[in-house]
Amino acid sequence: QVQLVESGGGSVQAGGSLTLSCAASGRAFGSWTMGWFRQALGKERVFLAGITWIGGRTGYVDTVKGRFTISRDNAKNTLYLQMNSLKPEDTAVYYCAAAARETYNSRHFDYWGQGTQVTVSS
């Protein structure tokens, strides 16, 4: 059973930084893709960034490219999202997710964490 547990959310002022972590367990993630998504209040959940577990190939949505960095530590089975230059519009619940293929399509992500709140004040 795949389990994903996020941590690292919190409140920060605009221009600040946060790093989210996602501890993954339950299986070997060889050819899987791990992703970060977010859902703002009243809006749909959207893809932010993805990384292949093997090879570390990454993809980002344009709104976070250059500000957010996705990475993983295979030895610790942990996924990260480094977020810099945060803006009030980045306020949302952030989720990590796992897909059993190389993909950035949210429909292919079958496993989800519980989410962690990020609040950016102006």
Side-chain angles (χ1 to χ4, degrees):
Q1 180 75 2
V2 173
Q3 288 190 321
L4 304 172
V5 180
E6 302 98 335
S7 61
S11 297
V12 64
Q13 289 193 325
S17 298
L18 278 176
T19 299
L20 305 182
S21 300
C22 175
S25 62
R27 62 159 295 132
F29 293 99
S31 59
W32 288 44
T33 303
M34 311 299 286
W36 285 101
F37 294 74
R38 71 184 178 193
Q39 186 168 20
L41 193 63
K43 296 188 178 181
E44 293 186 353
R45 187 162 54 190
V46 297
F47 170 83
L48 299 177
I51 186 168
T52 57
W53 201 255
I54 299 296
R57 290 179 293 279
T58 60
Y60 296 89
V61 67
D62 286 345
T63 51
V64 304
K65 199 174 293 184
R67 297 191 300 126
F68 292 9
T69 302
I70 190 172
S71 62
R72 85 273 186 253
D73 184 328
N74 290 18
K76 295 182 179 179
N77 262 20
T78 301
L79 178 71
Y80 302 98
L81 186 68
Q82 172 68 44
M83 306 185 293
N84 298 325
S85 302
L86 283 163
K87 306 173 183 180
E89 51 264 44
D90 293 318
T91 295
V93 178
Y94 284 69
Y95 299 89
C96 71
R101 65 174 81 181
E102 183 166 352
T103 181
Y104 301 140
N105 188 327
S106 60
R107 289 177 292 180
H108 297 155
F109 285 81
D110 295 320
Y111 300 94
W112 296 84
Q114 82 287 353
T116 186
Q117 176 71 45
V118 172
T119 302
V120 184
S121 58
S122 56

